[in-house]
Coordinates of all heavy atoms in Angstrom, one line a residue:
M1 N -35.8 -93.0 21.8 CA -35.5 -92.8 20.3 C -34.2 -92.2 20.2 O -33.9 -91.1 20.8 CB -36.6 -92.0 19.7 CG -36.9 -92.3 18.4 SD -38.4 -91.6 18.0 CE -38.4 -91.3 16.4
S2 N -33.3 -92.7 19.4 CA -32.0 -92.1 19.2 C -32.1 -91.0 18.1 O -32.8 -91.1 17.2 CB -30.9 -93.1 18.9 OG -31.2 -93.7 17.6
K3 N -31.2 -90.0 18.3 CA -31.1 -89.0 17.3 C -30.1 -89.4 16.2 O -29.1 -89.9 16.5 CB -30.7 -87.6 18.0 CG -31.6 -87.1 18.9 CD -31.1 -85.8 19.5 CE -32.1 -85.3 20.5 NZ -31.6 -84.1 21.1
T4 N -30.4 -89.2 15.0 CA -29.4 -89.4 13.9 C -28.6 -88.2 13.7 O -29.0 -87.1 13.8 CB -30.2 -89.9 12.6 OG1 -31.1 -88.8 12.3 CG2 -31.0 -91.1 12.8
S5 N -27.4 -88.5 13.3 CA -26.4 -87.4 13.1 C -26.7 -86.8 11.7 O -27.0 -87.5 10.8 CB -25.0 -88.0 13.1 OG -24.1 -87.0 12.7
K6 N -26.6 -85.4 11.7 CA -26.8 -84.7 10.4 C -25.5 -84.5 9.7 O -25.5 -83.9 8.6 CB -27.5 -83.4 10.7 CG -28.9 -83.7 11.3 CD -29.7 -82.4 11.3 CE -31.0 -82.8 11.9 NZ -32.2 -82.2 11.6
R7 N -24.4 -84.9 10.3 CA -23.1 -84.7 9.6 C -23.0 -85.8 8.5 O -23.4 -87.0 8.7 CB -22.0 -85.0 10.6 CG -21.8 -83.8 11.5 CD -20.6 -83.9 12.3 NE -20.9 -84.5 13.6 CZ -20.0 -85.0 14.4 NH1 -18.7 -85.1 14.1 NH2 -20.3 -85.5 15.6
P8 N -22.4 -85.4 7.4 CA -22.2 -86.4 6.3 C -21.2 -87.5 6.8 O -20.3 -87.3 7.6 CB -21.6 -85.5 5.2 CG -21.1 -84.3 5.8 CD -21.9 -84.1 7.1
A9 N -21.3 -88.6 6.2 CA -20.4 -89.7 6.6 C -19.1 -89.5 6.0 O -18.9 -88.9 4.9 CB -21.0 -91.1 5.9
I10 N -18.0 -89.8 6.7 CA -16.7 -89.6 6.2 C -16.3 -90.8 5.3 O -16.3 -92.0 5.7 CB -15.7 -89.6 7.4 CG1 -16.0 -88.3 8.3 CG2 -14.2 -89.5 6.9 CD1 -15.2 -88.2 9.5
V11 N -16.0 -90.4 4.1 CA -15.6 -91.5 3.1 C -14.1 -91.4 2.9 O -13.5 -90.4 2.4 CB -16.3 -91.2 1.8 CG1 -15.9 -92.3 0.8 CG2 -17.8 -91.2 2.0
P12 N -13.4 -92.5 3.2 CA -11.9 -92.5 3.1 C -11.6 -92.5 1.6 O -12.4 -93.0 0.7 CB -11.4 -93.8 3.7 CG -12.6 -94.7 3.9 CD -13.8 -93.7 3.8
P13 N -10.4 -91.9 1.2 CA -10.0 -91.9 -0.2 C -9.8 -93.3 -0.7 O -9.3 -94.2 0.0 CB -8.8 -91.1 -0.2 CG -8.2 -91.2 1.2 CD -9.4 -91.4 2.1
T14 N -9.9 -93.5 -2.0 CA -9.5 -94.8 -2.6 C -8.0 -94.9 -2.6 O -7.3 -93.9 -2.4 CB -10.1 -94.8 -4.1 OG1 -9.4 -93.8 -4.9 CG2 -11.6 -94.6 -4.1
A15 N -7.5 -96.0 -3.0 CA -6.1 -96.3 -3.1 C -5.5 -95.3 -4.1 O -4.4 -94.8 -3.9 CB -5.8 -97.7 -3.4
E16 N -6.1 -95.1 -5.2 CA -5.6 -94.2 -6.2 C -5.5 -92.7 -5.7 O -4.6 -92.0 -5.9 CB -6.4 -94.3 -7.5 CG -6.3 -95.6 -8.2 CD -7.3 -96.6 -7.6 OE1 -8.2 -96.2 -6.9 OE2 -7.0 -97.8 -7.9
E17 N -6.6 -92.3 -5.0 CA -6.7 -90.9 -4.5 C -5.6 -90.8 -3.4 O -5.0 -89.7 -3.4 CB -8.1 -90.7 -3.9 CG -9.2 -90.6 -5.0 CD -10.6 -90.6 -4.4 OE1 -10.8 -91.1 -3.3 OE2 -11.4 -89.9 -5.0
D18 N -5.5 -91.8 -2.6 CA -4.5 -91.7 -1.5 C -3.1 -91.6 -2.2 O -2.2 -90.8 -1.6 CB -4.6 -92.9 -0.6 CG -3.9 -92.8 0.7 OD1 -3.9 -91.7 1.2 OD2 -3.2 -93.7 1.1
A19 N -2.8 -92.3 -3.2 CA -1.5 -92.3 -3.8 C -1.3 -90.9 -4.4 O -0.1 -90.3 -4.3 CB -1.4 -93.3 -4.9
A20 N -2.3 -90.3 -5.0 CA -2.2 -89.0 -5.6 C -1.9 -87.9 -4.5 O -1.1 -87.0 -4.7 CB -3.5 -88.7 -6.4
I21 N -2.6 -88.1 -3.4 CA -2.4 -87.1 -2.3 C -1.0 -87.2 -1.7 O -0.3 -86.2 -1.5 CB -3.5 -87.4 -1.2 CG1 -4.8 -87.1 -1.6 CG2 -3.1 -86.6 0.1 CD1 -5.9 -87.6 -0.7
I22 N -0.5 -88.4 -1.5 CA 0.9 -88.6 -1.1 C 1.9 -88.0 -2.1 O 2.8 -87.3 -1.7 CB 1.2 -90.1 -0.7 CG1 0.3 -90.5 0.5 CG2 2.7 -90.3 -0.5 CD1 0.4 -92.0 0.7
A23 N 1.7 -88.3 -3.4 CA 2.6 -87.8 -4.4 C 2.6 -86.3 -4.4 O 3.7 -85.6 -4.5 CB 2.2 -88.4 -5.7
A24 N 1.4 -85.6 -4.3 CA 1.4 -84.2 -4.2 C 2.1 -83.6 -3.0 O 2.8 -82.6 -3.1 CB 0.0 -83.7 -4.3
A25 N 1.9 -84.2 -1.8 CA 2.5 -83.8 -0.6 C 4.1 -83.9 -0.8 O 4.8 -83.0 -0.4 CB 2.1 -84.6 0.6
L26 N 4.6 -85.0 -1.3 CA 6.0 -85.2 -1.4 C 6.6 -84.2 -2.4 O 7.8 -83.9 -2.3 CB 6.3 -86.7 -1.8 CG 6.1 -87.7 -0.8 CD1 6.2 -89.1 -1.4 CD2 6.9 -87.5 0.5
A27 N 5.8 -83.7 -3.4 CA 6.3 -82.9 -4.4 C 6.4 -81.4 -3.9 O 7.0 -80.6 -4.5 CB 5.4 -82.9 -5.6
D28 N 5.8 -81.1 -2.7 CA 5.8 -79.8 -2.2 C 7.1 -79.6 -1.4 O 7.3 -80.2 -0.3 CB 4.6 -79.6 -1.2 CG 4.4 -78.2 -0.7 OD1 5.4 -77.4 -0.9 OD2 3.4 -77.9 0.0
P29 N 8.0 -78.6 -1.9 CA 9.2 -78.5 -1.1 C 9.1 -77.9 0.3 O 10.0 -77.9 1.1 CB 10.0 -77.5 -2.1 CG 8.9 -76.8 -2.9 CD 7.8 -77.8 -3.0
D30 N 8.0 -77.2 0.5 CA 7.7 -76.6 1.8 C 7.1 -77.5 2.8 O 6.9 -77.1 4.0 CB 6.9 -75.3 1.7 CG 7.5 -74.2 0.9 OD1 8.8 -74.1 1.0 OD2 6.8 -73.5 0.2
A31 N 6.8 -78.7 2.4 CA 6.1 -79.7 3.3 C 6.7 -81.1 3.2 O 6.0 -82.0 2.9 CB 4.6 -79.7 3.0
Q32 N 8.0 -81.2 3.4 CA 8.7 -82.4 3.2 C 8.5 -83.2 4.5 O 8.4 -82.7 5.6 CB 10.2 -82.3 3.0 CG 10.5 -81.6 1.7 CD 10.0 -82.5 0.5 OE1 10.3 -83.7 0.4 NE2 9.1 -82.0 -0.4
P33 N 8.4 -84.6 4.4 CA 8.2 -85.4 5.6 C 9.4 -85.3 6.5 O 10.6 -85.0 6.1 CB 8.1 -86.8 5.0 CG 8.2 -86.7 3.6 CD 8.5 -85.3 3.2
L34 N 9.1 -85.5 7.8 CA 10.2 -85.4 8.8 C 11.1 -86.7 8.6 O 10.6 -87.8 8.4 CB 9.7 -85.3 10.2 CG 8.8 -84.1 10.5 CD1 8.1 -84.2 11.9 CD2 9.6 -82.9 10.4
T35 N 12.4 -86.5 8.9 CA 13.3 -87.7 9.0 C 13.1 -88.4 10.2 O 12.5 -88.0 11.3 CB 14.8 -87.2 8.9 OG1 15.1 -86.4 10.0 CG2 15.0 -86.3 7.6
D36 N 13.7 -89.6 10.3 CA 13.6 -90.4 11.5 C 14.3 -89.7 12.7 O 13.9 -89.7 13.8 CB 14.3 -91.8 11.3 CG 13.4 -92.7 10.4 OD1 12.2 -92.4 10.3 OD2 14.0 -93.7 9.8
E37 N 15.4 -89.0 12.4 CA 16.1 -88.3 13.5 C 15.2 -87.2 14.0 O 15.2 -86.9 15.2 CB 17.4 -87.7 12.9 CG 18.5 -88.7 12.5 CD 18.2 -89.3 11.2 OE1 17.6 -88.7 10.3 OE2 18.7 -90.5 10.9
Q38 N 14.5 -86.4 13.1 CA 13.7 -85.4 13.6 C 12.5 -85.9 14.4 O 12.1 -85.3 15.4 CB 13.1 -84.6 12.3 CG 14.2 -83.7 11.6 CD 13.7 -83.2 10.3 OE1 12.9 -83.9 9.6 NE2 14.0 -82.0 10.0
L39 N 12.0 -87.0 14.0 CA 10.9 -87.6 14.7 C 11.3 -88.0 16.1 O 10.6 -87.9 17.1 CB 10.2 -88.8 14.0 CG 9.5 -88.4 12.7 CD1 9.1 -89.7 11.9 CD2 8.2 -87.7 13.1
K40 N 12.6 -88.6 16.2 CA 13.0 -89.1 17.5 C 13.4 -87.9 18.4 O 13.2 -88.0 19.6 CB 14.3 -89.9 17.3 CG 14.0 -91.3 16.8 CD 15.4 -92.0 16.5 CE 15.1 -93.4 15.8 NZ 16.3 -94.0 15.5
A41 N 13.7 -86.8 17.8 CA 14.0 -85.5 18.6 C 12.8 -84.8 19.2 O 12.9 -84.0 20.1 CB 14.9 -84.6 17.8
M42 N 11.7 -85.1 18.6 CA 10.5 -84.4 19.0 C 10.0 -84.8 20.4 O 10.1 -86.0 20.8 CB 9.3 -84.7 18.0 CG 9.5 -84.1 16.7 SD 8.3 -84.6 15.5 CE 7.0 -83.5 15.9
V43 N 9.6 -83.8 21.2 CA 9.0 -84.1 22.6 C 7.7 -83.3 22.7 O 7.5 -82.3 22.1 CB 10.0 -83.6 23.7 CG1 11.3 -84.4 23.7 CG2 10.4 -82.1 23.6
P44 N 6.8 -83.8 23.5 CA 5.5 -83.1 23.7 C 5.8 -81.7 24.4 O 6.7 -81.6 25.2 CB 4.8 -84.0 24.7 CG 5.4 -85.3 24.6 CD 6.9 -85.1 24.3
M45 N 5.0 -80.7 24.0 CA 5.2 -79.4 24.5 C 5.0 -79.3 26.0 O 5.8 -78.6 26.7 CB 4.1 -78.4 23.9 CG 4.5 -78.1 22.4 SD 6.0 -77.1 22.2 CE 5.6 -75.7 23.1
H46 N 4.1 -80.1 26.6 CA 3.9 -80.0 28.0 C 5.2 -80.6 28.8 O 5.2 -80.3 30.0 CB 2.6 -80.8 28.4 CG 2.7 -82.2 28.2 ND1 2.4 -82.9 27.1 CD2 3.1 -83.2 29.1 CE1 2.5 -84.2 27.2 NE2 3.0 -84.4 28.4
S47 N 6.0 -81.3 28.2 CA 7.2 -81.8 28.9 C 8.3 -80.8 29.0 O 9.3 -81.1 29.7 CB 7.6 -83.1 28.2 OG 8.2 -82.9 27.0
L48 N 8.2 -79.8 28.2 CA 9.3 -78.8 28.2 C 9.2 -78.0 29.5 O 8.2 -77.6 30.0 CB 9.1 -77.9 27.1 CG 9.3 -78.5 25.7 CD1 9.1 -77.4 24.6 CD2 10.7 -79.1 25.5
K49 N 10.4 -77.7 30.1 CA 10.4 -77.1 31.4 C 10.2 -75.6 31.3 O 9.6 -75.0 32.2 CB 11.8 -77.3 32.1 CG 12.1 -78.7 32.4 CD 11.3 -79.2 33.5 CE 11.6 -80.7 33.8 NZ 10.8 -81.3 34.7
A50 N 10.5 -75.0 30.2 CA 10.4 -73.5 30.0 C 9.0 -73.1 29.8 O 8.5 -73.3 28.7 CB 11.3 -73.0 29.0
K51 N 8.3 -72.7 30.8 CA 6.9 -72.3 30.7 C 6.8 -70.8 31.2 O 7.2 -70.6 32.3 CB 6.0 -73.1 31.5 CG 5.9 -74.6 31.0 CD 5.0 -75.4 31.8 CE 5.0 -76.8 31.2 NZ 4.2 -77.8 32.0
G52 N 6.3 -69.9 30.3 CA 6.2 -68.6 30.8 C 7.5 -67.9 30.8 O 8.5 -68.2 30.1
R53 N 7.6 -66.8 31.6 CA 8.8 -66.0 31.7 C 9.9 -66.8 32.4 O 9.6 -67.6 33.3 CB 8.5 -64.8 32.6 CG 8.0 -63.6 31.8 CD 7.7 -62.4 32.7 NE 8.4 -62.2 33.8 CZ 8.3 -61.2 34.7 NH1 7.4 -60.4 34.4 NH2 9.0 -61.1 35.8
P54 N 11.1 -66.5 32.1 CA 12.2 -67.2 32.9 C 12.2 -66.7 34.3 O 11.8 -65.6 34.6 CB 13.5 -66.7 32.1 CG 13.1 -65.9 31.0 CD 11.6 -65.6 31.1
K55 N 12.6 -67.6 35.2 CA 12.6 -67.3 36.6 C 13.7 -66.4 36.9 O 14.8 -66.5 36.4 CB 12.8 -68.6 37.4 CG 11.8 -69.6 37.3 CD 10.4 -69.2 37.8 CE 9.4 -70.2 37.7 NZ 8.0 -69.7 37.8
S56 N 13.4 -65.4 37.7 CA 14.4 -64.3 38.1 C 15.3 -64.9 39.1 O 15.0 -65.7 40.0 CB 13.6 -63.0 38.6 OG 14.5 -62.2 39.1
S57 N 16.6 -64.4 39.1 CA 17.5 -64.8 40.1 C 17.3 -64.1 41.4 O 17.6 -64.7 42.5 CB 19.0 -64.5 39.6 OG 19.1 -63.2 39.4
S58 N 16.7 -63.0 41.4 CA 16.3 -62.3 42.6 C 14.8 -62.2 42.7 O 14.1 -61.5 42.0 CB 16.9 -60.9 42.6 OG 16.3 -60.1 41.5
K59 N 14.3 -63.1 43.6 CA 12.8 -63.2 43.7 C 12.3 -62.0 44.5 O 12.9 -61.6 45.4 CB 12.5 -64.6 44.4 CG 12.8 -65.7 43.5 CD 12.3 -67.0 44.1 CE 12.7 -68.2 43.2 NZ 12.2 -69.5 43.6
K60 N 11.1 -61.6 44.1 CA 10.5 -60.4 44.8 C 9.3 -61.0 45.6 O 8.7 -62.0 45.2 CB 10.1 -59.4 43.8 CG 11.2 -58.8 43.1 CD 10.8 -57.7 42.2 CE 12.0 -57.0 41.5 NZ 11.7 -56.0 40.6
L61 N 8.9 -60.3 46.6 CA 7.8 -60.7 47.4 C 6.6 -59.9 47.1 O 6.7 -58.7 46.8 CB 8.1 -60.4 48.9 CG 9.3 -61.1 49.5 CD1 9.6 -60.7 50.9 CD2 9.1 -62.7 49.4
L62 N 5.4 -60.5 47.1 CA 4.2 -59.8 46.8 C 3.7 -59.3 48.1 O 3.4 -60.1 49.0 CB 3.2 -60.7 46.1 CG 1.8 -60.2 45.9 CD1 1.9 -59.0 44.9 CD2 0.9 -61.3 45.3
V63 N 3.5 -58.0 48.2 CA 3.0 -57.4 49.4 C 1.9 -56.4 49.1 O 1.9 -55.8 48.0 CB 4.1 -56.7 50.3 CG1 5.1 -57.8 50.8 CG2 4.8 -55.6 49.5
S64 N 1.1 -56.1 50.1 CA 0.1 -55.1 49.9 C 0.5 -53.8 50.7 O 0.7 -53.9 51.9 CB -1.3 -55.5 50.3 OG -2.3 -54.5 50.2
V65 N 0.7 -52.7 50.0 CA 1.2 -51.5 50.6 C 0.3 -50.3 50.2 O -0.1 -50.3 49.1 CB 2.7 -51.2 50.3 CG1 3.2 -49.9 51.0 CG2 3.6 -52.4 50.6
R66 N 0.1 -49.4 51.1 CA -0.7 -48.2 50.7 C 0.2 -47.0 50.7 O 0.9 -46.7 51.6 CB -1.8 -47.9 51.7 CG -2.9 -49.0 51.8 CD -3.9 -48.7 52.8 NE -4.9 -49.8 52.9 CZ -6.0 -49.7 52.2 NH1 -6.3 -48.8 51.5 NH2 -6.9 -50.8 52.3
Y67 N 0.2 -46.3 49.5 CA 1.1 -45.1 49.3 C 0.2 -44.0 49.1 O -1.0 -44.0 48.7 CB 1.9 -45.2 48.1 CG 3.0 -46.3 48.2 CD1 2.9 -47.5 47.4 CD2 4.1 -46.1 49.0 CE1 3.9 -48.5 47.6 CE2 5.1 -47.1 49.1 CZ 5.0 -48.3 48.4 OH 5.9 -49.2 48.5
S68 N 0.7 -42.7 49.4 CA -0.2 -41.6 49.2 C -0.4 -41.4 47.7 O 0.4 -41.8 46.9 CB 0.5 -40.3 49.8 OG 1.7 -40.1 49.0
P69 N -1.6 -40.8 47.3 CA -1.9 -40.6 45.9 C -0.8 -39.8 45.2 O -0.6 -40.1 44.0 CB -3.2 -39.8 45.9 CG -3.8 -40.0 47.3 CD -2.6 -40.3 48.2
E70 N -0.2 -38.8 45.9 CA 0.9 -38.0 45.2 C 2.1 -38.9 44.8 O 2.6 -38.7 43.7 CB 1.3 -36.9 46.1 CG 0.3 -35.9 46.5 CD -0.6 -36.4 47.7 OE1 -0.3 -37.3 48.4 OE2 -1.7 -35.8 47.9
V71 N 2.4 -39.8 45.6 CA 3.6 -40.7 45.3 C 3.3 -41.6 44.1 O 4.1 -41.7 43.2 CB 4.0 -41.5 46.5 CG1 5.0 -42.6 46.2 CG2 4.5 -40.6 47.7
V72 N 2.1 -42.2 44.1 CA 1.7 -43.1 43.1 C 1.6 -42.3 41.8 O 2.0 -42.7 40.8 CB 0.4 -43.8 43.5 CG1 -0.1 -44.7 42.3 CG2 0.6 -44.7 44.6
S73 N 1.0 -41.1 41.9 CA 0.8 -40.3 40.6 C 2.1 -39.9 40.0 O 2.3 -39.9 38.9 CB 0.0 -39.0 41.0 OG -1.3 -39.3 41.3
F74 N 3.1 -39.5 40.9 CA 4.4 -39.2 40.5 C 5.1 -40.3 39.7 O 5.6 -40.1 38.6 CB 5.3 -38.7 41.6 CG 6.7 -38.5 41.3 CD1 7.2 -37.3 40.8 CD2 7.7 -39.5 41.4 CE1 8.5 -37.1 40.4 CE2 9.0 -39.3 41.0 CZ 9.4 -38.1 40.5
F75 N 5.1 -41.5 40.2 CA 5.7 -42.6 39.6 C 5.0 -43.0 38.3 O 5.6 -43.4 37.3 CB 6.0 -43.8 40.6 CG 7.2 -43.6 41.4 CD1 7.0 -43.1 42.7 CD2 8.4 -43.8 41.0 CE1 8.1 -42.9 43.6 CE2 9.5 -43.6 41.8 CZ 9.3 -43.2 43.1
K76 N 3.7 -43.0 38.4 CA 2.9 -43.4 37.2 C 3.1 -42.4 36.1 O 3.1 -42.8 34.9 CB 1.4 -43.5 37.5 CG 0.9 -44.7 38.1 CD -0.5 -44.8 38.3 CE -1.1 -46.2 38.7 NZ -2.5 -46.2 38.8
A77 N 3.3 -41.2 36.4 CA 3.6 -40.2 35.4 C 4.9 -40.4 34.6 O 5.1 -39.8 33.6 CB 3.5 -38.8 35.9
T78 N 5.8 -41.2 35.2 CA 7.1 -41.5 34.5 C 7.0 -42.5 33.4 O 7.9 -42.8 32.7 CB 8.2 -42.0 35.6 OG1 7.7 -43.2 36.1 CG2 8.4 -40.9 36.6
G79 N 5.7 -43.1 33.3 CA 5.5 -44.1 32.2 C 5.6 -45.5 32.6 O 5.7 -45.9 33.8
E80 N 5.6 -46.3 31.5 CA 5.7 -47.8 31.7 C 6.9 -48.2 32.6 O 8.0 -47.6 32.4 CB 5.7 -48.5 30.4 CG 5.5 -49.9 30.4 CD 5.3 -50.5 29.0 OE1 4.7 -49.9 28.2 OE2 5.9 -51.6 28.8
G81 N 6.8 -49.1 33.5 CA 7.9 -49.6 34.3 C 8.0 -48.7 35.6 O 9.0 -48.8 36.3
W82 N 6.9 -48.0 35.9 CA 6.9 -47.2 37.1 C 7.1 -48.0 38.4 O 7.8 -47.5 39.3 CB 5.7 -46.2 37.2 CG 4.4 -46.9 37.4 CD1 3.6 -47.4 36.5 CD2 3.8 -47.2 38.6 NE1 2.5 -48.0 37.0 CE2 2.5 -47.8 38.4 CE3 4.1 -47.0 40.0 CZ2 1.7 -48.3 39.4 CZ3 3.3 -47.4 41.0 CH2 2.1 -48.1 40.6
Q83 N 6.5 -49.2 38.4 CA 6.7 -50.0 39.6 C 8.2 -50.4 39.9 O 8.7 -50.3 41.0 CB 5.9 -51.2 39.6 CG 4.4 -51.0 39.5 CD 3.8 -51.0 38.1 OE1 4.6 -50.8 37.1 NE2 2.6 -51.5 37.9
S84 N 8.9 -50.7 38.8 CA 10.4 -51.0 38.9 C 11.1 -49.8 39.4 O 12.0 -49.9 40.2 CB 10.8 -51.5 37.5 OG 10.2 -52.8 37.2
R85 N 10.8 -48.7 38.8 CA 11.5 -47.4 39.3 C 11.3 -47.1 40.7 O 12.1 -46.7 41.5 CB 11.1 -46.3 38.4 CG 11.8 -46.2 37.0 CD 11.5 -44.9 36.3 NE 10.2 -44.8 35.8 CZ 9.7 -45.5 34.8 NH1 10.5 -46.4 34.1 NH2 8.5 -45.4 34.3
M86 N 10.0 -47.3 41.2 CA 9.7 -47.2 42.6 C 10.6 -48.2 43.5 O 11.1 -47.8 44.5 CB 8.2 -47.4 42.8 CG 7.8 -47.1 44.3 SD 6.1 -47.4 44.5 CE 5.4 -45.8 44.3
D87 N 10.7 -49.4 43.0 CA 11.5 -50.4 43.7 C 13.0 -50.0 43.7 O 13.6 -50.1 44.8 CB 11.4 -51.7 43.0 CG 12.1 -52.9 43.7 OD1 11.8 -53.1 44.9 OD2 13.0 -53.5 43.0
H88 N 13.5 -49.4 42.6 CA 14.9 -49.0 42.6 C 15.1 -47.8 43.6 O 16.1 -47.7 44.3 CB 15.3 -48.6 41.2 CG 15.4 -49.7 40.3 ND1 16.3 -50.7 40.5 CD2 14.8 -49.9 39.2 CE1 16.2 -51.6 39.5 NE2 15.2 -51.2 38.7
V89 N 14.2 -46.9 43.7 CA 14.2 -45.8 44.7 C 14.2 -46.3 46.1 O 15.0 -45.9 46.9 CB 13.1 -44.8 44.5 CG1 13.0 -43.8 45.7 CG2 13.2 -44.0 43.2
L90 N 13.4 -47.3 46.4 CA 13.4 -47.9 47.7 C 14.7 -48.7 48.0 O 15.2 -48.7 49.2 CB 12.1 -48.8 47.9 CG 10.8 -48.0 47.9 CD1 9.7 -49.0 47.9 CD2 10.7 -47.2 49.1
Q91 N 15.2 -49.3 47.0 CA 16.4 -50.1 47.2 C 17.6 -49.1 47.5 O 18.5 -49.4 48.3 CB 16.8 -50.9 45.9 CG 16.0 -52.1 45.7 CD 16.3 -52.8 44.4 OE1 17.2 -52.5 43.6 NE2 15.6 -53.9 44.1
D92 N 17.7 -48.0 46.7 CA 18.7 -46.9 47.0 C 18.5 -46.4 48.4 O 19.6 -46.2 49.2 CB 18.5 -45.8 46.0 CG 19.0 -46.1 44.6 OD1 19.7 -47.1 44.5 OD2 18.6 -45.3 43.7
Y93 N 17.3 -46.3 48.9 CA 17.1 -45.8 50.3 C 17.6 -46.8 51.3 O 18.4 -46.4 52.2 CB 15.6 -45.6 50.5 CG 15.3 -45.1 51.9 CD1 15.2 -43.7 52.2 CD2 15.1 -45.9 53.0 CE1 15.0 -43.2 53.4 CE2 14.8 -45.5 54.2 CZ 14.8 -44.1 54.5 OH 14.6 -43.6 55.8
V94 N 17.4 -48.1 51.0 CA 17.9 -49.2 51.9 C 19.4 -49.1 52.0 O 20.0 -49.2 53.0 CB 17.3 -50.5 51.5 CG1 18.1 -51.6 52.2 CG2 15.9 -50.6 51.7
V95 N 20.0 -49.0 50.8 CA 21.5 -49.0 50.7 C 22.1 -47.8 51.5 O 23.0 -48.0 52.3 CB 22.0 -49.0 49.3 CG1 23.5 -48.8 49.2 CG2 21.7 -50.3 48.6
R96 N 21.5 -46.6 51.3 CA 22.0 -45.4 52.0 C 21.8 -45.5 53.5 O 22.5 -44.8 54.2 CB 21.4 -44.2 51.4 CG 22.0 -43.8 50.0 CD 21.5 -42.5 49.5 NE 20.3 -42.8 48.7 CZ 19.1 -42.2 48.8 NH1 19.0 -41.1 49.5 NH2 18.1 -42.5 48.1
H97 N 20.7 -46.2 54.0 CA 20.5 -46.1 55.4 C 20.8 -47.4 56.1 O 20.4 -47.6 57.2 CB 18.9 -45.8 55.5 CG 18.6 -44.4 55.1 ND1 18.3 -44.0 53.8 CD2 18.6 -43.2 55.8 CE1 18.1 -42.7 53.7 NE2 18.3 -42.2 54.9
S98 N 21.5 -48.3 55.4 CA 21.9 -49.5 56.1 C 23.1 -49.3 57.0 O 24.0 -48.4 56.7 CB 22.2 -50.6 55.1 OG 21.1 -51.0 54.4
L99 N 23.3 -50.0 58.0 CA 24.4 -49.8 58.9 C 25.6 -50.5 58.5 O 25.7 -51.5 57.9 CB 24.0 -50.2 60.4 CG 22.9 -49.4 61.0 CD1 22.6 -50.0 62.3 CD2 23.3 -47.9 61.2

């Protein structure tokens, strides 16, 4: 036995109602129809290359490292961006100790 839908049937507008809807839409200055040029320029969102954050020119590596609680607490206490500050301190160390 099939179940009947409890949703009301969709009734399309009459020709007069449709003409009134179109006239009202065209009269709205904030909702003007797109031009042919605008329609041709449209592309699907998924085809756009820019997804998420821009790619960094200097790629970083994801590693797992264990630091003493004092070191982590010190950098966390400096506020937001503490990981980047920790990275800068390590970069300075590398520069100073490179041959």
Side-chain angles (χ1 to χ4, degrees):
M1 206 164 159
S2 67
K3 296 180 181 179
T4 58
S5 175
K6 297 195 183 209
R7 287 191 262 164
I10 297 174
V11 180
T14 64
E16 294 82 21
E17 292 170 332
D18 196 40
I21 292 168
I22 292 172
L26 291 173
D28 185 352
D30 294 329
Q32 292 300 304
L34 298 174
T35 64
D36 289 338
E37 294 80 25
Q38 290 171 321
L39 288 170
K40 287 178 187 175
M42 294 174 76
V43 294
M45 286 296 294
H46 67 272
S47 69
L48 299 176
K49 298 288 181 190
K51 293 180 181 172
R53 272 179 28 181
K55 299 293 181 196
S56 174
S57 59
S58 61
K59 295 185 180 186
K60 295 184 178 182
L61 301 175
L62 176 63
V63 296
S64 177
V65 180
R66 295 179 184 266
Y67 293 110
S68 65
E70 298 83 14
V71 170
V72 175
S73 295
F74 173 83
F75 280 99
K76 278 188 173 184
T78 64
E80 194 172 316
W82 65 271
Q83 297 98 328
S84 295
R85 281 189 289 284
M86 184 183 264
D87 183 57
H88 291 299
V89 168
L90 292 170
Q91 286 177 2
D92 289 343
Y93 182 90
V94 168
V95 169
R96 283 186 272 134
H97 292 86
S98 294
L99 298 174

